[in-house]
Amino acid sequence: MPFSKDFTPVPLADTNLFKPIQIGKMHLQHRAVYPPLTRMRAHHPGHVPNKDWAVEYYNQRSQYPGTFIITEGAFISAAAGGYDNAPGIWSDEQVAEWTKIFKKIHDNKSFVYVQLWNLGRQAFADSLARDGLKYLSASDDIYMDEEQKEKALKSKNPQHGLTKAEIKQHIADYVHAAKNAIAAGADGVEIHSANGYLLNQFLDPISNHRTDEYGGSIENRSRFTLEVVDAVIAAVGHENVGVRFSPWGTFGTLSGSAEPLILAQYAHVIGELEKRAKEGKRLAYVHLVEPRVTNPFMTEGTGADTTVSNDFVYSIWKGLIIRAGNLAFHPEVVKDMVEDGRTLAAFGRLWIANPDMVQRLKDGLPLNTYDRDTFYAMTDHGYTDYPTYEEALKLGWDKE
């Protein structure tokens, strides 16, 4: 597989991307972040991180000292799942495998947060039914699409809006998962409230039709996310917690910029985080999916919403911000972004294919192309076999 011909590499060594920065208790040597990337290699049953390949996968991508890795999403409980080959972090067996991964990252003098994941209506209702679990979301019967509705009805597992008692249980599950992550050696956790998953389903008026204190108004739709944040802060410390949002995302059949009040929704929830920060509980960071990527399943460079921006967050949140979304092929955008001293840049899909991504960004080296067909395949191909730049030269990729 040759180097990508889609762009001209630009060295970023002399930009703010390669200035050290403190996040929480972590002293990073640069501001290129490895974001959460679902890879579907966990063992089923059990949702255990892959015992043969996962340690090496994370080892390869944390080789540059002082790198910040955010893991693939890990289910906080069986009830939060619905994909067979995604990992969890609620059981002892899962934690045992994560412990090895975290140790390897730390041996490389790098750092790691675990992304805490809860699917909601993006789960497969039939998989949940097989395991005796409910198909959950913010509201009853507000399906993501016809395919999900058909699966739910055929498996006799209709979409179920969480009761208030169930919300409390899920908050407790977030706490349990966060404590497990820290006990296993992680530096912190990221609460996933983006990309159309459960917490995002509560934030969005398309999926949240509730009439109780968790729906109706902007304030009420923010409540579940903020209660999770507060509970996890209390459990593991504010400086060890980040949160991810996708204000303009449409993945999972959510609003994006078609909803006139969506900016107000995110201004409110992020404003509440800043309010907590001023009370002495500032999160480590806020992580934003850029409108450059409104749907992560679209081909790189497509689906951008050029009518909107995440810049509004800077006027509200005064802490650190990670920005992610089709940045690897746009070094000029990265240079501009990191001019703000509070900003870090995340590089996702192309870091999958370039285990030495940090060095390539620093020196302006060509990038390996990725094989999208292996993103979610249960194989080590397309997982641990991508070459470093030096290895690619030996393979003659520069001649292709």
Side-chain angles (χ1 to χ4, degrees):
M1 189 175 291
F3 294 133
S4 174
K5 306 292 195 296
D6 293 348
F7 85 121
T8 302
V10 174
L12 297 172
D14 293 332
T15 72
N16 278 353
L17 192 69
F18 282 89
K19 286 187 177 176
I21 192 169
Q22 188 83 18
I23 292 192
K25 296 176 181 176
M26 306 178 298
H27 188 65
L28 310 184
Q29 295 304 306
H30 59 88
R31 303 176 186 207
V33 177
Y34 188 73
L37 293 160
T38 297
R39 302 307 312 277
M40 296 298 187
R41 262 73 172 186
H43 300 291
H44 175 76
H47 297 281
V48 178
N50 193 284
K51 296 179 180 181
D52 300 312
W53 311 321
V55 170
E56 178 58 18
Y57 172 77
Y58 283 103
N59 172 48
Q60 291 172 353
R61 285 152 188 81
S62 59
Q63 286 285 320
Y64 194 103
T67 295
F68 182 29
I69 305 283
I70 309 172
T71 73
E72 63 206 283
F75 296 144
I76 60 169
S77 65
Y83 300 156
D84 286 350
N85 295 112
I89 194 161
W90 75 84
S91 76
D92 291 344
E93 189 180 6
Q94 294 159 1
V95 169
E97 206 57 37
W98 281 117
T99 300
K100 298 173 192 173
I101 293 168
F102 303 155
K103 182 180 184 303
K104 180 59 71 173
I105 292 169
H106 287 148
D107 286 348
N108 292 334
K109 296 183 170 53
S110 288
F111 304 94
V112 59
Y113 272 34
V114 179
Q115 189 188 58
L116 304 181
W117 201 17
N118 199 333
L119 294 182
R121 69 178 189 169
Q122 291 222 48
F124 296 146
D126 49 356
S127 297
L128 293 168
R130 176 199 65 203
D131 297 336
L133 298 166
K134 294 177 182 178
Y135 180 43
L136 305 172
S137 187
S139 300
D140 294 337
D141 301 323
I142 309 296
Y143 293 96
M144 189 169 73
D145 54 39
E146 284 302 313
E147 182 184 357
Q148 294 294 79
K149 182 177 181 179
E150 185 179 344
K151 276 185 182 179
L153 298 182
K154 191 173 179 180
S155 61
K156 297 182 172 55
N157 196 12
Q159 189 174 297
H160 165 71
L162 286 170
T163 66
K164 286 186 271 189
E166 288 167 340
I167 287 171
K168 285 185 171 55
Q169 180 58 55
H170 278 254
I171 293 169
D173 292 342
Y174 276 100
V175 167
H176 176 67
K179 287 180 175 179
N180 277 354
I182 300 299
D187 297 289
V189 296
E190 176 177 286
I191 296 165
H192 195 357
S193 189
N195 292 348
Y197 297 108
L198 183 69
L199 293 180
N200 197 176
Q201 290 158 34
F202 272 75
L203 289 173
D204 200 285
I206 283 181
S207 46
N208 186 343
H209 291 202
R210 300 175 73 101
T211 57
D212 64 3
E213 60 265 45
Y214 290 94
S217 68
I218 283 171
E219 293 82 0
N220 284 353
R221 289 200 302 268
S222 299
R223 192 180 306 277
F224 190 13
T225 292
L226 293 171
E227 287 182 347
V228 170
V229 167
D230 290 341
V232 173
I233 282 175
V236 302
H238 62 92
E239 68 279 16
N240 304 318
V241 181
V243 62
R244 194 180 211 203
F245 297 112
S246 52
W248 310 109
T250 59
F251 182 58
T253 327
L254 294 189
S255 295
S257 62
E259 167 54 58
L261 293 178
I262 207 69
L263 189 149
Q265 176 68 62
Y266 284 93
H268 175 264
V269 71
I270 293 168
E272 284 292 319
L273 298 179
E274 180 61 24
K275 179 181 173 184
R276 286 156 174 75
K278 288 182 174 175
E279 293 167 350
K281 296 178 181 178
R282 184 172 296 285
L283 297 182
Y285 61 84
V286 167
H287 188 176
L288 302 173
V289 180
E290 291 296 297
R292 302 173 68 85
V293 180
T294 54
N295 183 331
F297 279 83
M298 287 183 166
T299 304
E300 192 98 20
T302 65
D305 187 341
T306 59
T307 68
V308 293
S309 167
N310 280 333
D311 289 350
F312 75 95
V313 177
Y314 287 83
S315 65
I316 303 167
W317 171 252
K318 303 306 179 185
L320 299 180
I321 296 174
I322 301 172
R323 302 179 75 165
N326 190 24
L327 296 178
F329 284 156
H330 297 280
E332 74 286 353
V333 174
V334 175
K335 276 185 177 182
D336 201 38
M337 274 186 177
V338 298
E339 277 298 302
D340 183 286
R342 295 190 283 134
T343 304
L344 299 92
F347 303 85
R349 287 171 278 195
L350 279 148
W351 205 327
I352 286 173
N354 294 271
D356 56 341
M357 185 70 167
V358 179
Q359 196 67 50
R360 298 200 201 203
L361 291 168
K362 186 176 184 180
D363 296 341
L365 302 174
L367 298 178
N368 305 340
T369 55
Y370 55 68
D371 178 4
R372 198 179 188 98
D373 290 342
T374 60
F375 277 4
Y376 309 117
M378 182 52 103
T379 171
D380 59 348
H381 178 55
Y383 191 61
T384 57
D385 60 349
Y386 283 109
T388 64
Y389 180 68
E390 294 300 325
E391 290 166 345
L393 291 181
K394 290 175 185 175
L395 292 168
W397 285 19
D398 56 325
K399 308 291 194 298
E400 295 185 37

